[in-house]
Amino acid sequence: MSEAAIAKKAEIVKDTQALLNDAQSAIVVDYRGLTVAEVTDLRKQLRDAGVKMSVIKNKILDRAVEGTDYEDLKSTFVGPTAVAFSNEDPIAPAKILKKFADDHDALEIKGGFIEKSVKTLDEINEYASMPSREELLSMLASALQDPMRKIARAVKAVADKEDEAA
């Protein structure tokens, strides 16, 4: 192999390492059996959530994770492999891919990491079933408003009772 080809491959490994290191999460999937239309739909859903999906050769991924905290993922780099990276919302790739895998049997989640920590498939599925950040904030706002509503009702009831007595 020529020195130029080796240098090019080394650059690809370096770029893949940078993608992994910069990502909040990365989910490894086997997309074998999906139609072009299904893959296009999946990519659109991921893109809309700020997630990038790349098909990367297993050997490149093997070399990219060597000596990193993600070395445990090597066993997932078998067969056709695509990786969904998110730099913003660490849960987004897991949620979208889990929902898509539930609707399409051909998509298989093989593993990944969330918030810089390698997770098992069960953990990834747990994260995927968690409410989104917006849903959690809505739940928190509702919980904070509830005591105020109760106080307002109590004050109104006292005022109504005083009005009836007068």
Side-chain angles (χ1 to χ4, degrees):
M1 197 179 308
S2 72
E3 286 184 35
I6 292 171
K8 184 177 180 182
K9 286 187 180 192
E11 185 66 29
I12 293 170
V13 169
K14 185 177 160 190
D15 291 345
T16 304
Q17 261 181 336
L19 268 176
L20 288 168
N21 289 331
D22 293 343
Q24 287 288 320
S25 66
I27 306 296
V28 180
V29 297
D30 181 345
Y31 60 92
R32 188 179 10 201
L34 290 177
T35 65
V36 173
E38 291 169 336
V39 172
T40 303
D41 180 39
L42 175 59
R43 284 183 184 271
K44 182 185 179 322
Q45 289 179 36
L46 291 167
R47 197 175 327 111
D48 290 345
V51 178
K52 179 183 176 193
M53 186 169 93
S54 299
V55 175
I56 304 172
K57 290 185 176 184
N58 293 328
K59 198 64 166 167
I60 301 282
L61 287 167
D62 271 342
R63 290 189 177 141
V65 299
E66 273 179 23
T68 68
D69 295 339
Y70 311 129
E71 214 161 351
D72 291 343
L73 290 176
K74 279 189 171 194
S75 63
T76 65
F77 305 145
V78 178
T81 302
V83 184
F85 299 96
S86 177
N87 295 342
E88 299 164 14
D89 182 1
I91 307 299
K95 285 179 112 22
I96 294 167
L97 291 169
K98 170 85 168 91
K99 184 177 184 304
F100 199 86
D102 288 345
D103 297 339
H104 301 84
D105 292 335
L107 184 72
E108 176 193 353
I109 297 174
K110 299 197 279 186
F113 68 86
I114 296 174
E115 293 182 329
K116 307 289 185 184
S117 172
V118 175
K119 304 294 181 191
T120 65
L121 282 178
D122 290 336
E123 290 173 321
I124 291 171
N125 288 332
E126 270 184 51
Y127 276 101
S129 63
M130 288 175 57
S132 70
R133 182 176 190 274
E134 289 75 25
E135 291 168 330
L136 288 171
L137 288 173
S138 174
M139 293 164 73
L140 176 63
S142 178
L144 291 174
Q145 287 177 346
D146 192 44
M148 295 305 288
R149 281 191 207 119
K150 288 179 181 176
I151 291 170
R153 283 190 199 120
V155 169
K156 185 172 182 343
V158 169
D160 289 347
K161 189 173 182 181
E162 287 179 4
D163 284 345
E164 286 177 15

